[in-house]
Amino acid sequence: MKIWYLKFILDKFERFDLLNLDNFELKDGEILLLFSDKFDNYSYDDLSLSDKIKLKNNPNLAQNSKFKISRSLKIYFEKNYKNIKNIPLYTSLSHSDNCAILAISTTRVGVDLELIKDRNFSAHIDFCFSKEQRLRVANSKNQLIEFYKIWTLKEARVKLLNLGFYALDMASDESLGAFVEIVKCSDKSFIYSVAIF
C-alpha cells in the first residue's frame, strides 16, 4: 500500500509520502490518499453497513477483486487513523485494472484512477471534450497522457459534484483544487486525478 497526502502550498498541491497513519492528522484542505493492488485488510465483518447492503444486493461483488481492494483501503483507514475529531470526513473511491485509490478530505473530494493504455479515445473526445481540450490533446507531445489528464479530472469533478456520467461534457478539467499524477503499480502505469472545491 502507498500512502501520501496533498497539501495546498503557493497556489498548487504538493505531495508528501507517509509510511503509515501513525500520528498523522488530516488538516483542512489536505487530501489523504491510499493506493493499493492488494486486499489484505479486507474482511466482511469490517465492512460498513452500506457496503454489507451492497454485497447483499450484489453477491457477485464478494469475488470482485476491485471491490475487495477498494474496501480494504477503507478498512485500513478506519482501523489506523487515530486522529478522528468531530469534523466530517469526505471520501471518494476509484479503481482500475485491480488497483484502487481512496481519497479522504475534510472537504468534498472526487478522485479518478485509470490504467494508462493505448486506446482509440476519439469517441470519448467527441463525446465530452471542449474545443480547447481537443486542441490541447492534438497539440500535445504525448496525446495519450494529455487525454488521460483531462479525462480523469473530468471524472473526478463529476464525482465531486455528485453527478452522473452524462455530465462529463459539462465537467471542466480546470480547477484550482486539482491534482494529477502518474503512479506505478504492478509494473503498470496509472494516472489519477483529485478534485476539491
Side-chain angles (χ1 to χ4, degrees):
M1 178 181 307
K2 296 178 184 179
I3 307 170
W4 58 91
Y5 70 100
L6 305 176
K7 185 174 187 172
F8 206 65
I9 300 174
L10 299 175
D11 297 331
K12 67 176 185 162
F13 277 109
E14 292 195 28
R15 191 186 106 167
F16 299 90
D17 293 335
L18 294 170
L19 295 176
N20 54 49
L21 294 179
D22 295 349
N23 303 316
F24 176 74
E25 182 178 345
L26 190 62
K27 297 191 172 53
D28 282 341
E30 294 178 346
I31 303 165
L32 178 65
L33 295 160
L34 285 73
F35 177 76
S36 183
D37 63 347
K38 297 181 178 27
F39 50 86
D40 46 356
N41 294 297
Y42 180 83
S43 161
Y44 177 83
D45 293 337
D46 292 326
L47 290 174
S48 67
L49 180 59
S50 65
D51 283 335
K52 287 179 180 177
I53 292 169
K54 200 175 276 187
L55 267 178
K56 183 178 179 185
N57 294 332
N58 303 289
N60 58 331
L61 286 177
Q63 304 309 315
N64 183 303
S65 61
K66 292 177 188 178
F67 177 82
K68 290 164 63 171
I69 293 167
S70 60
R71 283 6 183 231
S72 181
L73 293 174
K74 284 175 65 175
I75 292 166
Y76 176 85
F77 174 74
E78 290 163 2
K79 285 186 169 185
N80 292 283
Y81 186 69
K82 305 297 183 206
N83 291 309
I84 301 264
K85 306 250 192 296
N86 287 332
I87 55 172
L89 293 178
Y90 298 88
T91 63
S92 182
L93 276 169
S94 185
H95 42 71
S96 179
D97 194 64
N98 290 326
C99 285
I101 192 165
L102 170 65
I104 302 123
S105 181
T106 58
T107 60
R108 287 181 51 196
V109 62
V111 67
D112 186 54
L113 176 72
E114 296 288 340
L115 171 67
I116 299 172
K117 62 182 179 182
D118 286 328
R119 65 191 290 178
N120 180 353
F121 46 78
S122 60
H124 293 80
I125 289 176
D126 291 342
F127 168 63
C128 66
F129 278 38
S130 69
K131 181 180 178 183
E132 188 270 332
Q133 291 165 340
R134 292 173 198 206
L135 286 172
R136 279 179 31 209
V137 172
N139 295 326
S140 175
K141 290 180 183 175
N142 190 328
Q143 291 181 353
L144 187 68
I145 296 299
E146 191 63 27
F147 163 78
Y148 277 115
K149 284 180 183 178
I150 296 169
W151 180 261
T152 57
L153 267 171
K154 281 179 166 290
E155 286 212 26
R157 300 240 338 134
V158 163
K159 289 179 181 180
L160 170 70
L161 300 171
N162 200 25
L163 301 171
F165 189 75
Y166 68 88
L168 278 171
D169 63 332
M170 297 179 286
S172 167
D173 66 313
E174 294 83 20
S175 172
L176 287 177
F179 183 82
V180 180
E181 183 177 50
I182 294 172
V183 64
K184 296 270 190 194
C185 183
S186 303
D187 297 327
K188 296 178 183 177
S189 293
F190 293 80
I191 189 167
Y192 73 92
S193 292
V194 181
I196 62 169
F197 284 118

